[in-house]
Amino acid sequence: MEQIYDLLVLGGGPAGLAAGMYGARARMKTGIIEKGKPGGQAATTEDLENYPGFGRGTTGPGLTQAMADHAASFGAEFIKDTIVSLDLKSSPQKVIGKKGEYLGKAVVYALGAEPRMLKAPGEGKLRGKGVSYCATCDADLFEELDVAVVGSGDAAIEEAEYLSKFADSVTVIVIHEEGKVDANQVSFERAQQNPKLKWIWNSIVKSINGEELVESITLKNIKTGEESDYPINGVFIFIGTVPLTEILAGQVELNQQGYVITDEKMATSAEGVFAAGDVRAKYLRQVVTAASDGAIAAVAAEKYVHETELWEKEVLKARKPVLVAYYNPTDMSGTEKVGIVDRFVRENNERFSLVKVDATRNELVGRRYHVDLDHLPKLHLFINGEVKKEMDDIGENSLKALIKSL
């Protein structure tokens, strides 16, 4: 018999590790599927200065390893596998990896994003031969050499400074006019004081040149149209990220850029599927917000699993007909009507059982059965797990008529 996890977390970056820790701490059987070493992109960032609680800064590898150890200490299981496809409409949901299949009652999708490529000639050919997307990974390969950084966001500026600890010179290629960058002003001003950093403005990379290794880049000035070759030993590209959501297409709602659309509880458009971290549509993509997303997603997933199991036991698999009364606890007249149902079921307990649902709190049931909060209370009659009758007009006469209709 296949093993079923209460919570399957896809991805072992900060979002996935936080979700795994919260899930395991809630006594859920939790599996974290990650193809490599836990940590994600954060594990490639050597200097991490803006994670709360570390005034002097910390390292990406150190912080994410501590997160992984924390999750493991509560019982989270780490599964090393590469995810190839998903079936999120099955129950339980199915995750297919290269090494096996995994079943989960709830899923947190936290596979993150990957660096966006320039798509310039020579980039693919020379990737790993002078073309890199990770300064922390490859900076030491360029000691006493000259490198270029393409991009002007926070990552580009911070990685350019990191590279300056190894390379002789670091030239930053910026598409904007002189003095204008996409990074925060503090990082930019600090970078301007670095004597090893050079700046080329109003320019894009047309091609990356070299036979076995990078030898130069061809630059185009977007104002003048002039092209020129710039001798260089390495090119580090930081022009944004692309969400890893291809396997989600058609299963959950994505925005135009391919990021997962979620609500404030990290719930996606698919029941029991949550998303966290860089993979979802959000304002700020940082380690601290990824960890926050993961915590929220796991707490919401735990509630979803609990409500689902309770609903299945008390309603869907009940032996006798079940009356489900949806109500709003702040509506006094509505709760009085639910009291009428309560008395009716006690008088007819051999025929019916009763489940009362606070529709303002139980979003799962409300969404599944299209319960309108503006039209409460409402009554559903379930027989063999299916809604056989719906009642908005709840009273003693309508309940007595219900018996006659069976």
Side-chain angles (χ1 to χ4, degrees), residues 180-214:
K180 184 179 179 182
V181 295
D182 298 313
N184 70 81
Q185 197 63 27
V186 173
S187 294
F188 178 46
E189 289 175 1
R190 184 174 61 194
Q192 285 182 303
Q193 305 304 313
N194 190 326
K196 283 192 174 184
L197 265 58
K198 304 176 184 178
W199 305 82
I200 296 179
W201 305 94
N202 297 308
S203 297
I204 60 173
V205 176
K206 287 288 291 182
S207 66
I208 301 173
N209 314 311
E211 290 302 320
E212 298 299 323
L213 297 170
V214 170

Side-chain angles (χ1 to χ4, degrees), residues 66-86:
M67 288 180 170
D69 293 343
H70 198 173
S73 73
F74 284 119
E77 177 185 343
F78 284 85
I79 304 165
K80 194 169 184 178
D81 202 349
T82 299
I83 299 162
V84 294
S85 64
L86 304 170

Side-chain angles (χ1 to χ4, degrees), residues 261-284:
I261 296 172
T262 69
D263 62 15
E264 63 179 7
K265 296 179 182 176
M266 306 299 134
T268 71
S269 59
E271 187 177 296
V273 182
F274 304 83
D278 287 358
V279 77
R280 81 179 189 92
K282 59 190 293 187
Y283 176 67
L284 181 65

Side-chain angles (χ1 to χ4, degrees), residues 6-9 19 22-23 26 28 30 93 105-109 265-267 272-275 293-309 364:
D6 295 317
L7 179 64
L8 276 177
V9 179
Y22 268 79
M28 302 176 80
T30 302
Q93 289 137 348
K105 298 174 185 177
V107 168
V108 174
Y109 192 94
K265 296 179 182 176
M266 306 299 134
V273 182
F274 304 83
D293 287 355
I296 294 169
V299 171
E302 192 275 334
K303 183 180 180 184
Y304 165 80
V305 170
H306 174 72
E307 290 180 349
T308 300
E309 291 179 339
L364 164 68

Side-chain angles (χ1 to χ4, degrees), residues 147-148 169 171 173 198 200 215-219 228-232:
V147 301
S169 69
T171 303
I173 314 299
K198 304 176 184 178
I200 296 179
E215 298 170 6
S216 69
I217 52 177
T218 300
L219 299 176
S228 59
D229 285 345
Y230 191 80
I232 212 77

Side-chain angles (χ1 to χ4, degrees), residues 235-253:
V235 185
F236 288 80
I237 300 167
F238 303 104
I239 56 170
T241 58
V242 178
L244 297 173
T245 55
E246 283 188 14
I247 58 175
L248 285 178
Q251 300 200 67
V252 303
E253 188 179 358

